[in-house]
Amino acid sequence: QGVRLRGLQTNCSLDAAVDSPDLSAMAGHTHARFLLACLAASILLTSQAQPATPTEVKVGFIVDAGSPVGKIATTTIPMALEDFYAAYPNSPVRVRILPHDSGGDVVAAASAALQLMTVQGARAILGPQSSVESAFVADLATQAQLPVVSFSATSPSVSPATAAFFARAALSDASQADAIAALATHFGWRRVVPIYQDDDYGAAFVPFLVDALTAERTEVPYRCALPAAALHDAIAAALLRMESEQTRVFVLHTRPELAKKVFAAAVDTGMMAEGYVWIITDGLTGLLGSVDPPQGVIGLTPYVPDTTRLRGVKKRWAHRYMRDHRDAEPAQAVMGCYALWAYDAAWAVASAAERLSSGDLSSPPGLVGGKGGPTDIAGLGKSTSGLNFLRAINSTKFDGLGGKFELVNGELAVPAFQVVNIMDNGRERGIGFWTLLHGLSRHGSNESRGELGPVIWPGDSTVRPTGWVQPTSARKLRVAVPGNVSDSYKPIVRLEVDPATNQTTASGFVIEVFEAAVRLLPYALPFEYVKAASMPYDDLVQAVGNGTFDAAVADITMTANRSNHVDFTLPYAGTAIAMLVRVRDQRSNKRTWVFLKPLRYDLWLVSAAFFLFTGFVVWAIEHRGNREFRGPASYQVGTLLYFGFSTLVFAHRETLKSNLSSWSRPWPTTASCSGA
């Protein structure tokens, strides 16, 4: 268009030059004005086409760069931010990461946090890595009202309840305690021994595990705490002490470096053979490449839905991880739970910053309890504070790589855990799921509730371990048995001591019941019989109560007084009165006079004597005034005999006239009936 205009302008100028010199001057002014208008329009269009420079939001990043989790985070978080701004290229803010390497030291982490808050102008902090560092930094951040978002501090010792400006974008270790207890109940293990790292990370988890196991009626007989810097020999010695006990179910909750040493010592001491059970928590399952557990281990890991996006990110992440860490092994380039949590945490921070910039959240200006200060995010408005940023992070919801991202009370919600079985190549194989609603299930639904897939246990065994063996070093219970009993009582309880070998042998019905109950226990109960001296059972009960004996086996009646000293088992024999009868009736078929069998001859004689006495008394009273009792001597004797026996059924025909006869008549009859 410019060329055509210039050509047109030239032609006009030539024609005008012929006609008049004034037209040439007018054409020159018109051309200049037109060029200025085109230049202004071009500048306006160019300014509209180029977006405004995004606001920079500085976010601190504190990790132990040399640890497995630190290496994962240094690869994951920059990648997550790149993916976020690739998905939202017109975002008005850009999160800039300010990395700091704490080296796993609490003081270094605190120093880095202070530098980020006071010098570098950070508006939030991702990390620190460990729970001890996070607790220290969270206290400082709460004072400065700066959000701290952790993706790896899983210890229950630090939580939003104790630090107001702390948010956990990871699962708390306490959330998996119920799943471990459900596994113990499912496989019938009644005793479980936790092996944990003796620091804030391991010790804070054990109380939650013990409470969950106790609620499922599973005992924790002892615990094994190992220092983080424990050597191979010290770990092997601790395992050998546990090997001499009866429990064979162990829950391992340590950091990867110590867990690798524990498994190496377990292999050397033979504690990865058939009959043993090893369960690892999600912190180790998410770092299998750094732990290298043997085959047969059971692990828990947060359930992550398999999506097309996740598969694509995993491929890119593996290539980037190997590029960033040249000395890493290929087995470590697996995107576990820590990588997923770090990715979603960075995405949540970037999303919260963008939401604040667009004014989606409204809150009072400045800091809590004061005026605006250094935590106001530059470029996001003068009224936006660290509290608003924290609120934006806690209210952020999206479909992340690890599933639905949602913080409930400042902590990542627990959707479900997957139960995995470690194979010989270090890979995991899913055997089931655990949810708070359905418990253990094969496919994560109520239809397969209470089921799990087949498990390959240590020693390439497919047989479910019992979880216990007969201990070799445990103290035996001293069970008291009465020794001096009569011969007629020996079938009930009997104790004999061989004078040559001093070996005690117990027998009898009570002993058989006791030993049958012991065999039904899901764990070993070593005991020995001890002969109790001749004493009343009250004294025997008190001997058990004061610790002279651990238990007593005898036909001891449960009374209220004895229950104050000891605990009784359920009664195994009742004391009610019963009647014994023969199974087969061999009596004669002639049962007409069977009612006479209970009556002995002496009872018959006494009854007859009373009848005669009654008749004589009535006759003596009535024969003087009553004509029915007079007559010949034979008649009077017959009347006396008849009247005496007729009173049994009140069938006499004589009429009594004397009141004395009427009063005395029932007495012999009643007496005779009572005697019968």
Side-chain angles (χ1 to χ4, degrees):
Q1 292 179 355
V3 173
R4 289 196 299 271
L5 287 172
R6 285 193 296 270
L8 179 61
Q9 182 66 39
T10 303
N11 294 336
C12 293
S13 298
L14 292 176
D15 295 339
V18 178
D19 296 336
S20 173
D22 295 335
L23 293 176
S24 178
M26 293 177 59
H29 291 299
T30 302
H31 179 67
R33 286 194 297 269
F34 182 78
L35 290 179
L36 291 175
C38 291
L39 180 61
S42 176
I43 294 174
L44 179 62
L45 292 175
T46 302
S47 62
Q48 292 180 353
Q50 293 180 354
T53 302
T55 302
E56 184 180 81
V57 178
K58 298 178 181 180
V59 175
F61 176 42
I62 305 175
V63 291
D64 180 7
S67 65
V69 176
K71 293 179 180 178
I72 291 173
T74 53
T75 297
T76 306
I77 289 181
M79 178 179 174
L81 294 177
E82 293 173 5
D83 292 349
F84 179 85
Y85 293 117
Y88 303 97
N90 296 326
S91 176
V93 296
R94 286 291 187 273
V95 172
R96 177 188 171 192
I97 294 297
L98 303 176
H100 284 266
D101 184 5
S102 67
D105 183 69
V106 178
V107 177
S111 176
L114 289 175
Q115 184 178 358
L116 288 169
M117 297 174 191
T118 59
V119 178
Q120 295 182 286
R123 307 310 179 190
I125 295 177
L126 281 169
Q129 179 177 320
S130 68
S131 301
V132 178
E133 297 173 24
S134 296
F136 202 166
V137 172
D139 290 339
L140 296 176
T142 301
Q143 297 296 326
Q145 299 186 350
L146 195 73
V148 175
V149 183
S150 178
F151 53 87
S152 58
T154 58
S155 174
S157 61
V158 55
S159 66
T162 58
F165 277 76
F166 176 79
R168 195 199 316 270
L171 296 183
S172 173
D173 289 334
S175 61
Q176 59 186 326
D178 291 335
I180 296 175
L183 284 174
T185 302
H186 175 78
F187 290 109
W189 301 322
R190 300 301 300 274
R191 289 189 175 186
V192 175
V193 175
I195 304 175
Y196 60 95
Q197 188 163 319
D198 192 12
D199 59 8
D200 186 74
Y201 171 75
F205 166 69
V206 174
F208 293 92
L209 177 62
V210 173
D211 290 344
L213 291 172
T214 304
E216 295 291 336
R217 303 180 65 86
T218 301
E219 181 184 356
V220 180
Y222 48 91
R223 311 172 188 183
C224 179
L226 298 175
L231 300 178
H232 178 85
D233 293 341
I235 297 174
L239 295 181
L240 287 175
R241 285 193 297 269
M242 292 188 293
E243 195 271 340
S244 64
E245 303 290 343
Q246 61 171 299
T247 307
R248 291 294 181 266
V249 182
F250 306 105
V251 176
L252 184 61
H253 181 71
T254 64
R255 298 200 180 276
E257 299 82 2
L258 182 58
K260 194 169 185 178
K261 298 178 183 179
V262 171
F263 281 127
V267 173
D268 294 342
T269 56
M271 296 181 64
M272 289 302 302
E274 183 177 355
Y276 288 87
V277 178
W278 289 85
I279 303 174
I280 58 177
T281 55
D282 61 352
L284 297 177
T285 311
L287 298 170
L288 290 180
S290 301
V291 177
D292 192 21
Q295 176 177 286
V297 175
I298 295 179
L300 291 175
T301 182
Y303 170 66
V304 178
D306 188 17
T307 61
T308 304
R309 177 193 174 199
L310 177 61
R311 290 192 294 268
V313 173
K314 280 186 174 181
K315 292 180 180 179
R316 293 191 293 111
W317 185 90
H319 290 295
R320 184 163 181 165
Y321 183 86
M322 296 302 297
R323 184 192 65 191
D324 295 343
H325 311 284
R326 300 290 184 180
D327 57 342
E329 299 179 0
Q332 298 175 346
V334 177
M335 202 172 187
C337 61
Y338 286 108
L340 299 177
W341 293 336
Y343 189 98
D344 290 343
W347 192 286
V349 170
S351 177
E354 182 180 11
R355 292 174 59 196
L356 282 177
S357 67
S358 59
D360 291 341
L361 297 178
S362 61
S363 59
L367 301 177
V368 180
K371 301 179 180 180
T375 55
D376 293 337
I377 301 179
L380 300 186
K382 295 296 183 181
S383 64
T384 304
S385 66
L387 178 61
N388 296 339
F389 202 3
L390 177 66
R391 288 174 177 174
I393 294 172
N394 286 332
S395 61
T396 299
K397 298 179 182 179
F398 58 90
D399 292 330
L401 288 186
K404 184 175 179 58
F405 183 90
E406 180 181 4
L407 298 182
V408 179
N409 296 326
E411 298 199 33
L412 188 64
V414 184
F417 282 100
Q418 185 178 14
V419 185
V420 298
N421 188 202
I422 309 302
M423 309 308 295
D424 56 355
N425 56 1
R427 299 291 180 177
E428 57 189 50
R429 178 177 63 90
I431 60 174
F433 300 89
W434 179 88
T435 60
L436 193 60
L437 179 62
H438 301 296
L440 289 174
S441 60
R442 178 74 179 272
H443 304 292
S445 60
N446 195 29
E447 289 75 12
S448 59
R449 187 173 184 177
E451 300 178 3
L452 289 177
V455 182
I456 298 179
W457 303 99
D460 296 334
S461 174
T462 57
V463 180
R464 178 184 64 85
T466 60
W468 60 272
V469 295
Q470 289 290 343
T472 59
S473 63
R475 186 182 71 87
K476 295 183 179 180
L477 295 178
R478 292 169 49 85
V479 180
V481 179
N484 299 326
V485 298
S486 61
D487 293 339
S488 61
Y489 198 72
K490 288 183 178 180
I492 303 298
V493 60
R494 180 178 184 179
L495 184 71
E496 295 180 350
V497 180
D498 190 343
T501 61
N502 200 27
Q503 184 177 0
T504 304
T505 304
S507 60
F509 172 73
V510 176
I511 300 299
E512 292 177 359
V513 172
F514 172 71
E515 292 180 352
V518 171
R519 287 193 295 269
L520 293 177
L521 294 176
Y523 50 83
L525 181 65
F527 65 91
E528 60 180 353
Y529 294 116
V530 179
K531 183 178 180 179
S534 297
M535 65 179 71
Y537 277 172
D538 288 339
D539 296 341
L540 180 59
V541 168
Q542 291 182 1
V544 175
N546 60 29
T548 304
F549 305 109
D550 297 322
V553 176
D555 59 328
I556 304 174
T557 303
M558 291 182 291
T559 63
N561 185 34
R562 294 173 180 175
S563 298
N564 294 329
H565 302 282
V566 297
D567 293 329
F568 285 94
T569 63
L570 293 176
Y572 58 87
T575 57
I577 300 177
M579 183 174 62
L580 299 178
V581 297
R582 298 176 65 91
V583 176
R584 180 180 299 177
D585 189 0
Q586 296 179 348
R587 293 179 297 177
S588 173
N589 293 330
K590 298 179 180 180
R591 302 183 180 181
T592 305
W593 303 99
V594 69
F595 70 94
L596 297 177
K597 288 189 174 184
L599 302 179
R600 298 173 56 184
Y601 70 94
D602 52 353
L603 181 61
W604 282 110
L605 293 177
V606 173
S607 299
F610 270 107
F611 291 150
L612 293 176
F613 179 74
T614 301
F616 174 77
V617 171
V618 173
W619 173 82
I621 297 174
E622 293 287 338
H623 83 283
R624 294 181 181 181
N626 192 342
R627 298 181 59 183
E628 294 185 4
F629 286 88
R630 294 180 181 180
S634 60
Y635 178 79
Q636 294 186 33
V637 172
T639 301
L640 185 150
L641 296 175
Y642 172 77
F643 187 88
F645 283 97
S646 65
T647 56
L648 181 65
V649 292
F650 293 90
H652 49 273
R653 64 180 182 275
E654 294 80 3
T655 302
L656 302 179
K657 295 183 178 181
S658 176
N659 290 334
L660 296 175
S661 301
S662 301
W663 175 84
S664 62
R665 181 185 54 179
W667 175 79
T669 305
T670 304
S672 62
C673 292
S674 300

